[in-house]
Amino acid sequence: MKIRPLSIEGAWEVTPRLHGDPRGLFLEWYRFDRLAEAVGHPLRLAQANLSVSARDVVRGIHFADVPPGQAKYVTCVRGAVLDVVVDVRVGSPTYGRWEAVRLDDTDRRAVYLAEGLGHGFCALTDDATLSYLCSATYNPAAEHTVHPLDPDLGIDWPAASPLLSERDAAAPRLAQARDAGLLPGYDACRSFTEASATRPSL
């Protein structure tokens, strides 16, 4: 398993070793000890989600209040997506930047993103299926979204006509979310992440 940091602090790409033979394939798609060694603290597992999307569906950009936030470990178990991490942390050196990683059922990569980062994806195939491991349970009162087609973000979504949910289509732009006080602060996110190193795993 190879774990490398992305250009946005708190986001990592995980590339597993694939062991295949005529019978099929085996891989370790998540190792709590290897991830903890790379990111500096364990991922507290509180919830697991599965998301199935048609081609050209764009979901996001979603994030949660910090604390407690919601760290995510995401992989694509069927089809392919372009997975996008957005830095929505006010005061971050990379605030407003995004980075994309292709996740698919061939290379079996995963993405880890820390609490406070925004997340979204575009389905590149029909029935694209994502599996998420999450550090906190879903709390709708603490969940927010930024419009994925915000021109100030300029995310290059690989879909001619992106399909959005009503919630995402009505989401504020990044600047509007900042003005409304919805975005997490960089210092608060860093403090929370550093404190995670001393908290026991669930």
Side-chain angles (χ1 to χ4, degrees), residues 14-90:
V14 181
T15 304
R17 292 183 60 190
L18 307 181
H19 304 277
D21 62 28
R23 299 170 300 156
L25 184 72
F26 174 83
L27 65 142
E28 295 177 342
W29 72 274
Y30 171 71
R31 279 278 302 265
F32 96 97
D33 54 340
R34 300 287 295 275
L35 183 68
E37 180 182 7
V39 308
H41 61 84
L43 171 61
R44 295 165 53 88
L45 297 183
Q47 182 172 318
N49 301 331
L50 201 67
S51 170
V52 181
S53 300
R55 184 190 299 268
D56 292 341
V57 164
V58 171
R59 300 185 189 268
I61 301 297
H62 300 153
F63 64 96
D65 291 338
V66 179
Q70 191 183 62
K72 297 176 181 176
Y73 189 94
V74 187
T75 193
C76 184
V77 297
R78 181 178 181 182
V81 305
L82 186 73
D83 200 73
V84 175
V85 179
V86 180
D87 195 345
V88 298
R89 303 168 298 185
V90 177

Side-chain angles (χ1 to χ4, degrees), residues 38 115 140 166:
E115 295 88 350
E166 290 184 8

Side-chain angles (χ1 to χ4, degrees), residues 158-179:
S161 300
L163 304 174
L164 309 181
S165 69
E166 290 184 8
R167 177 187 178 219
D168 291 345
R173 292 168 57 165
L174 184 66
Q176 293 170 324
R178 179 173 184 168
D179 291 345

